[in-house]
Amino acid sequence: MKSKAFSQKILKILPAIVWTIILVGAWEIGATVVANHKRTPENILPHLYQIIAAIFSIKKVANGMTATQIVLTSAQATLLRALLGFALGALLGFVFALIMKMSGVVEKLIFPYLMLIQLIPVLGLAPIVLSITGDINKSRVLIAAILSFYPVATNTLAGFKSVEKEKYDLMYIYAAKKWMLYSKVLIPASIPYFFTGLKIAAPMAVTASILVDTLQGDGGLGCMLSQSLKHAMSIYVFWLIVLFSAFVGVFSGKVMGWLEMLVSPWKRTVNAKKKK
């Protein structure tokens, strides 16, 4: 039994291992090709070991800070704005989904505009929001909230609509009040869909914050990204920001998964049965 469980774990992570090997191999081949054609390959596509070395390097690259210190210092502002925007967007998304479920008229009025807002590129949305708020920091939070709002609202609404007719009939038989229908049936049914929206929204909020930083400056990962591309500092700052952003995006999705397990005891039971 133990060997079977071990084999299942290996098979589960095997695709990730294979894709990691492929991506690392492709990266190293590209870096080698660049090194054979450029005099300063580190300014274009460095090897992975060079980027890893830059993480632990104590060499000061700008403002008396190492590349890693610059990235971590800039990340504080960007991630804080992303977190605030994400929390605001998630809360409003759930509330609006609830309102749209309670009123079909409101859904018909709001839903088309939700899609329209989502279709506007972030780079086009940023100047509009900035002109309305007149404040750079507020606009960054609002843009992260807008991008978080749509996936949470649409997925939560889909969760409300996924409830079978039999459950409505059962609550009607028990003469349940409307608030009981929502608290006992609709909201619990929407939780998996709500967290699906959160898993999509969390990386989008981080991406939005970084992109807006590139446009508006005033610190943040996006600002450092632009400066490193312009060779105002070591190019390794650019690659460290890219890797750090990728890690944060993946990790934020994982955190939403852990939170879902925390608030969904029935899901933990199902997973435990599957493992057995």
Side-chain angles (χ1 to χ4, degrees):
M1 292 294 293
K2 289 184 178 180
S3 60
K4 185 178 179 181
F6 180 74
S7 300
Q8 289 177 344
K9 289 182 180 179
I10 293 296
L11 289 174
K12 189 175 180 180
I13 64 173
L14 185 60
I17 295 173
V18 172
W19 276 109
T20 300
I21 293 173
I22 291 173
L23 290 174
V24 170
W27 184 301
E28 289 302 310
I29 290 172
T32 302
V33 171
V34 169
N36 292 330
H37 291 81
K38 298 289 183 179
R39 296 180 62 185
T40 55
E42 65 274 10
N43 289 338
I44 308 296
L45 183 65
H47 290 280
L48 286 174
Y49 71 84
Q50 293 175 310
I51 298 176
I52 293 172
I55 296 175
F56 302 100
S57 175
I58 59 173
K59 180 181 178 182
K60 304 295 189 295
V61 296
N63 299 324
M65 293 189 291
T66 65
T68 300
Q69 288 173 333
I70 290 174
V71 173
L72 294 179
T73 302
S74 303
Q76 293 178 11
T78 299
L79 295 182
L80 178 60
R81 290 189 286 260
L83 180 61
L84 291 174
F86 169 72
L88 178 62
L91 177 61
L92 291 177
F94 183 85
V95 171
F96 270 81
L98 190 60
I99 294 172
M100 286 188 286
K101 174 58 183 174
M102 296 173 69
S103 173
V105 175
V106 174
E107 180 184 355
K108 290 178 181 178
L109 289 173
I110 294 178
F111 198 78
Y113 294 101
L114 295 183
M115 297 182 65
L116 181 63
I117 292 173
Q118 187 68 15
L119 292 174
I120 301 175
V122 177
L123 299 180
L125 191 64
I128 298 173
V129 176
L130 179 59
S131 64
I132 294 173
T133 62
D135 184 273
I136 291 177
N137 290 323
K138 287 181 181 178
S139 66
R140 287 165 169 164
V141 173
L142 281 177
I143 290 170
I146 290 170
L147 290 187
S148 302
F149 173 82
Y150 180 80
V152 173
T154 53
N155 278 280
T156 304
L157 182 60
F160 288 138
K161 291 183 176 182
S162 69
V163 176
E164 300 88 349
K165 183 178 181 298
E166 290 79 5
K167 293 183 179 179
Y168 284 97
D169 293 339
L170 181 62
M171 296 299 285
Y172 178 77
I173 291 171
Y174 282 112
K177 298 189 181 203
K178 198 167 186 179
W179 69 267
M180 292 184 67
L181 173 65
Y182 277 88
S183 62
K184 301 294 184 180
V185 178
L186 292 174
I187 291 178
S190 71
I191 287 177
Y193 295 82
F194 173 67
F195 275 98
T196 298
L198 292 182
K199 291 173 188 176
I200 298 171
M204 290 180 67
V206 176
T207 302
S209 296
I210 294 173
L211 284 176
V212 176
D213 284 345
T214 63
L215 293 176
Q216 299 176 349
D218 191 30
L221 288 175
C223 182
M224 295 300 106
L225 201 68
S226 297
Q227 291 186 21
S228 60
L229 280 175
K230 296 173 184 176
H231 302 286
M233 60 184 69
S234 171
I235 195 65
Y236 289 111
V237 173
F238 169 82
W239 290 110
L240 291 184
I241 291 174
V242 170
L243 293 179
F244 179 81
S245 302
F247 170 78
V248 170
V250 173
F251 183 71
S252 63
K254 288 290 185 183
V255 170
M256 294 303 108
W258 295 333
L259 288 176
E260 182 181 8
M261 295 291 290
L262 186 64
V263 301
S264 306
W266 59 87
K267 192 165 185 177
R268 294 198 298 270
T269 304
V270 171
N271 288 344
K273 288 181 178 178
K274 286 181 179 179
K275 288 180 180 178
K276 290 180 180 179

